[in-house]
């Protein structure tokens, strides 16, 4: 029988999430009354988000749904947490080519960063499996300036925990639905675009691709 690789949520990410949410996410804390209320609140908001990101997509795309505190909290706890590890398998494929062995530092562009799933996924992967990469510089972009504030807050806490990887995160606006795209800060060694196309009005898809 082929062996399976188990992925677990990185401890530096969990610790940062606890700090940002001001919520103990340990099993012991979540079974207590306050923890159960937190879980119920998140579950209700995730249900609303799930509907909005699927059946109610037309009402959600381009809206300020992440400005609502309960929905922002739910997105961080559920969607960002489940998505950040999805980037590990393609990074492992890239590693087999020797790509990371040739870099002691990386310049990364994340397009449509949202709450930074790709950023935290890449950073945690490098820290766990690429000790030769000592520095990661990230430019995180999104269509709306207000939408970048949550990742800026998260980054402030996360970079303190990224050792031995030295990490910096800068943000800027980049709207894929605009007629022209200007990207600064390059050249980039790594460009990520994760869970983005469903957020852009469909009539722009072919133009972007």
């Amino acid at each position: 029988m082929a062996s399976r690789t188990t992925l677990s949520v990185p401890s530096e990410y969990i610790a940062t999430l606890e700090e940002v949410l001001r919520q103990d996410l340990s099993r012991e804390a979540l079974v207590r009354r306050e923890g159960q209320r937190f879980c119920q609140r998140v579950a209700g908001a995730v249900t609303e988000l799930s509907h909005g990101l699927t059946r109610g997509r037309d009402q959600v795309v381009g809206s300020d749904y992440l400005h609502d505190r309960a929905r922002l909290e739910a997105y961080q706890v559920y969607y960002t947490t489940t998505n950040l590890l999805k980037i590990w398998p393609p990074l492992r494929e890239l590693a087999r080519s020797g790509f990371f062995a040739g870099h002691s530092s990386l310049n990364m562009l994340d397009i449509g960063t949202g709450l930074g799933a790709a950023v935290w996924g890449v950073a945690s992967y490098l820290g766990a499996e690429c000790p030769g990469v000592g520095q990661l510089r990230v430019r995180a972009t999104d269509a709306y300036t207000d939408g970048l504030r949550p990742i800026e807050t998260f980054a402030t806490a996360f970079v303190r925990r990224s050792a031995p990887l030295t990490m910096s995160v800068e943000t800027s606006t980049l709207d894929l639905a605009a007629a022209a795209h200007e990207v600064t800060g390059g050249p980039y060694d790594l460009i990520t675009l994760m869970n983005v196309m469903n957020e852009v009005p469909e009539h722009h898809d072919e133009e972007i691709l």
Side-chain angles (χ1 to χ4, degrees):
M1 179 180 294
S3 61
R4 295 185 297 176
T5 300
T6 301
L7 294 177
S8 58
V9 180
S11 59
E12 65 270 24
Y13 174 81
I14 295 175
T16 303
L17 193 60
E18 289 180 322
E19 178 180 336
V20 171
L21 298 178
R22 299 180 181 178
Q23 171 66 47
D24 186 345
L25 298 176
S26 67
R27 185 184 301 273
E28 294 76 15
L30 293 178
V31 298
R32 295 195 286 266
R33 180 176 300 178
E34 181 181 347
Q36 289 178 349
R37 287 199 297 266
F38 169 79
C39 291
Q40 291 170 354
R41 183 172 70 250
V42 168
V46 166
T47 299
E48 293 179 7
L49 279 172
S50 179
H51 174 80
L53 295 173
T54 52
R55 291 183 292 269
R57 182 177 182 275
D58 291 341
Q59 285 72 46
V60 169
V61 171
S63 73
D64 60 353
Y65 65 99
L66 289 183
H67 292 181
D68 178 86
R69 181 178 178 180
R71 292 184 177 186
L72 173 62
E73 181 181 72
Y75 204 104
Q76 287 177 312
V77 171
Y78 182 74
Y79 289 102
T80 305
T81 302
T82 56
N83 283 333
L84 71 93
L85 289 175
K86 292 179 182 178
I87 204 166
W88 279 46
L91 290 174
R92 282 174 170 165
E93 290 185 20
L94 188 59
R96 285 198 290 270
S97 72
F99 174 79
F100 294 110
H103 291 82
S104 60
S105 64
L106 289 172
N107 203 18
M108 171 182 169
L109 171 67
D110 188 33
I111 300 174
T113 195
L115 295 181
V119 176
W120 320 131
V122 169
S124 60
Y125 171 79
L126 294 176
E129 301 196 5
C130 297
V133 180
Q135 184 176 40
L136 176 65
R137 296 181 298 271
V138 178
R139 178 167 294 275
T141 69
D142 210 284
Y144 305 103
T145 302
D146 287 350
L148 293 168
R149 291 174 183 169
I151 190 177
E152 291 169 348
T153 299
F154 202 93
T156 299
F158 188 90
V159 297
R160 297 198 308 268
R161 300 179 170 92
S162 65
L165 180 72
T166 300
M167 183 179 178
S168 63
V169 180
E170 296 184 359
T171 61
S172 61
T173 55
L174 177 64
D175 187 357
L176 288 179
H181 317 303
E182 182 179 357
V183 180
T184 60
Y188 293 100
D189 306 298
L190 195 63
I191 299 175
T192 53
L193 187 148
M194 191 174 184
N195 299 327
V196 172
M197 297 304 293
N198 63 310
E199 300 285 347
V200 179
E202 292 180 1
H203 62 276
H204 289 287
D205 288 358
E206 184 175 348
E207 173 186 327
I208 294 167
L209 294 174

